[in-house]
Amino acid sequence: MAISNNKLTNDQYSDNFSDIHPPFENKTAALVDANRCLFCYDAPCTKSCPTSINIPKFIKQISSDNIKGSAHTIFVSNIMGAGCSKVCPVEKLCEGACVYNLLEEEPIPIAKLQRYSTEQAMENKWKLFDRKPSRGKKVAIVGAGPAGLSCAHVLSREGIDVTIYEKEPKGGGLMTYGIAAYKVTPEFCEDEVNYIISIGGIEIKYNQTLGKDVSLEQLQNSYDAVYLGIGVGVARQLDIPGEEMEGVVDAIGFIYNLRANGFPSVPVGDKVAVIGMGMTAIDAATQAKRLGAKEVTLVYRRTEAEKPCTDVELDIAKLDGCKIIWLAAPAAIKGNENKVTQLICSKMKLGEPDASGRRSPVDTGETFTLDVDMVIKAAGQVPFMELVDQYRINNKNGRITIDNNATSVKGVFAGGDCVNGGKEVVDAVQAGKDGAAAILKYLFP
């Protein structure tokens, strides 16, 4: 067993990481699906979209060959509608609410239709919004992720001058650095960021970390309002013996390296264990397999009924050949010469429900051993507790608490994962819209 990079040929990488949800082959195919839509009154698909995209309207516009109008309908509600069409768990949102499900027929492929319109808008650089003249107000946004970009776009449309401070060398946040490459490419993410800021009035300053390169006090003194879209922090530790060994990595860092440095450069083991069952765990497991791992095993402390990922995501892992062990929790990592060789797991059983409503895993006292050379930790992320405490921002275990999107610090607003602890990209986009509305009310009472 060995951890190494460049395990596959360039053609194999290309095949393994090709678009998992390819677009329509042609206009006719899009029109066929668009014309299946029943254009429901009080449509359940729109109700289930966190950004409230008028889905029947944009599909009707496709069917009438008004693609530019369709893209505008999407972007006015969700400026990251192109990216969301690739990464949203639509099976539990819009497509899951489609009335065709009640008729036991295939739902309308809403995400695919949304991609059809929005990608044409981006490719043709359609200018769908006119920015109002500058109103003499400046807002600083920390984080060029979905929440920050969404907030910036709404503010800019209203004539507010926006400067975004981003700690990474590229914008997009989770979209750029934290999602499986077969769903969305870094190149697409860069195009999406450029399209969003092309409205004008938005400047992004990269490699600027809050608390290191710029302080909250500096932003408060230089701008009329501040919006924090800083996301969540580092990966949660397992707190088990052997966690510091070579071959133990966190899923966020693993995916980050893959996105930032390319497929051949990322080392992967022959036998890999992934701890967790959320979307990030699935992305890490499937990508480890597609990078050349011979065996990948997902280890989860509850049963399938309690899993946080969707059935669709789990099916991707299964189709990729990933194994799954339910009711198991990591207890220790063993190795040789500080290199991982085994993962010791405790067998669990379910007890009473915890605060999340899911039944709590209880250790049975029994253990089993997996022979592995790599362990990927995907047990969640910890909020930036030290950072928010440093600036005396009210929070709950590191999650910023807000009242109508305003923090406890006057003139400072927040939204997205740093508030909710980590949800979908589309939820962050809506949080950015809500934050922009609150800031406009604050600036122009």
Side-chain angles (χ1 to χ4, degrees):
M1 295 191 296
I3 297 176
S4 64
N5 61 354
N6 205 20
K7 290 193 172 191
L8 306 176
T9 66
N10 287 335
D11 286 343
Q12 286 175 313
Y13 285 125
S14 180
D15 289 342
N16 289 354
F17 289 92
S18 61
D19 197 333
I20 196 170
H21 299 300
F24 288 111
E25 292 184 1
N26 50 51
K27 176 181 175 180
T28 301
L31 288 174
V32 168
D33 273 322
N35 282 305
R36 284 183 61 227
C37 183
L38 300 175
F39 311 115
C40 302
Y41 173 76
D42 199 23
C45 53
T46 293
K47 284 182 170 180
S48 69
C49 174
T51 57
S52 301
I53 294 173
N54 189 334
I55 294 168
K57 181 180 178 181
F58 94 68
I59 294 178
K60 185 68 173 179
Q61 289 169 312
I62 291 175
S63 69
S64 61
D65 204 27
N66 181 9
I67 308 305
K68 188 173 287 188
S70 175
H72 181 271
T73 297
I74 296 163
F75 285 140
V76 76
S77 293
N78 181 349
I79 194 57
M80 297 193 77
C84 285
S85 73
K86 296 169 179 278
V87 305
C88 263
V90 291
E91 61 275 6
K92 68 177 184 180
L93 296 173
C94 56
E95 291 182 21
C98 179
V99 295
Y100 273 117
N101 291 300
L102 301 175
L103 303 175
E104 297 185 357
E105 293 188 29
E106 283 295 312
I108 302 298
I110 297 169
K112 201 170 183 179
L113 289 165
Q114 182 168 311
R115 176 176 178 176
Y116 178 75
S117 296
T118 55
E119 285 197 346
Q120 289 189 58
M122 287 175 55
E123 288 168 8
N124 293 295
K125 295 181 171 56
W126 289 338
K127 187 177 180 181
L128 301 176
F129 301 94
D130 290 320
R131 182 173 187 255
K132 293 180 180 179
S134 178
R135 300 170 73 177
K137 296 290 185 180
K138 300 188 302 179
V139 172
I141 294 176
V142 183
L149 289 168
S150 173
C151 182
H153 195 268
V154 174
L155 291 174
S156 181
R157 274 161 36 193
E158 294 300 317
I160 308 301
D161 299 315
V162 178
T163 303
I164 304 177
Y165 293 80
E166 168 56 45
K167 66 178 182 178
E168 301 292 347
K170 293 182 179 180
L174 178 68
M175 287 285 292
T176 298
Y177 292 105
I179 291 178
Y182 53 74
K183 295 178 183 175
V184 60
T185 65
E187 293 77 18
F188 170 84
C189 293
E190 186 171 0
D191 289 343
E192 185 170 46
V193 171
N194 290 336
Y195 185 73
I196 291 169
I197 66 174
S198 67
I199 189 175
I202 303 171
E203 178 188 5
I204 304 180
K205 294 187 176 183
Y206 292 109
N207 301 304
Q208 296 291 306
T209 301
L210 183 65
K212 178 184 175 184
D213 302 298
V214 62
S215 70
L216 185 59
E217 291 86 357
Q218 286 175 308
L219 298 180
Q220 288 176 289
N221 291 333
S222 302
Y223 296 89
D224 299 295
V226 179
Y227 181 80
L228 302 178
I230 57 177
V232 284
V234 297
R236 191 182 305 278
Q237 298 300 302
L238 300 177
D239 294 326
I240 59 174
E243 190 171 1
E244 74 291 342
M245 286 188 188
E246 183 181 336
V248 181
V249 300
D250 70 80
I252 297 297
F254 177 72
I255 296 172
Y256 179 100
N257 288 336
L258 194 154
R259 304 278 291 181
N261 302 317
F263 311 132
S265 65
V266 179
V268 68
D270 289 329
K271 293 187 176 183
V272 180
V274 179
I275 312 301
M277 194 55 71
M279 298 297 212
T280 301
I282 297 291
D283 281 357
T286 54
Q287 290 187 115
K289 200 75 168 65
R290 293 173 187 227
L291 285 171
K294 295 176 181 176
E295 292 182 16
V296 176
T297 304
L298 283 150
V299 177
Y300 184 54
R301 59 184 183 159
R302 290 183 167 98
T303 70
E304 184 173 356
E306 289 81 28
K307 69 183 187 304
C309 71
T310 66
D311 289 338
V312 170
E313 293 289 325
L314 184 60
D315 285 344
I316 293 172
K318 289 178 179 178
L319 287 170
D320 277 2
C322 298
K323 300 177 182 178
I324 301 161
I325 300 177
W326 306 103
L327 290 171
I333 297 170
K334 292 188 175 181
N336 183 24
E337 296 181 351
N338 202 42
K339 295 182 179 180
V340 173
T341 57
Q342 291 182 324
L343 175 66
I344 312 300
C345 296
S346 297
K347 292 183 179 180
M348 313 298 282
K349 64 180 181 180
L350 292 183
E352 296 300 314
D354 61 13
S356 70
R358 295 179 297 173
R359 294 174 65 189
S360 301
V362 179
D363 194 336
T364 64
E366 298 181 67
T367 63
F368 64 91
T369 301
L370 293 175
D371 291 328
V372 297
D373 55 11
M374 186 175 191
V375 176
I376 301 177
K377 302 178 289 184
Q381 291 174 272
V382 181
F384 292 109
M385 187 174 294
E386 288 186 11
L387 184 64
V388 295
D389 280 343
Q390 173 187 339
Y391 293 121
R392 296 182 176 85
I393 301 171
N394 287 354
N395 64 88
K396 186 175 182 181
N397 298 321
R399 296 185 188 182
I400 297 174
T401 54
I402 57 174
D403 182 10
N404 292 324
N405 299 281
T407 71
S408 57
V409 179
K410 184 175 176 57
V412 178
F413 300 78
D417 289 356
C418 65
V419 171
N420 61 40
K423 288 188 177 181
E424 307 297 343
V425 171
V426 67
D427 293 292
V429 172
Q430 183 59 41
K433 289 165 56 183
D434 294 340
I439 290 170
L440 288 169
K441 190 174 181 180
Y442 170 75
L443 296 177
F444 307 101

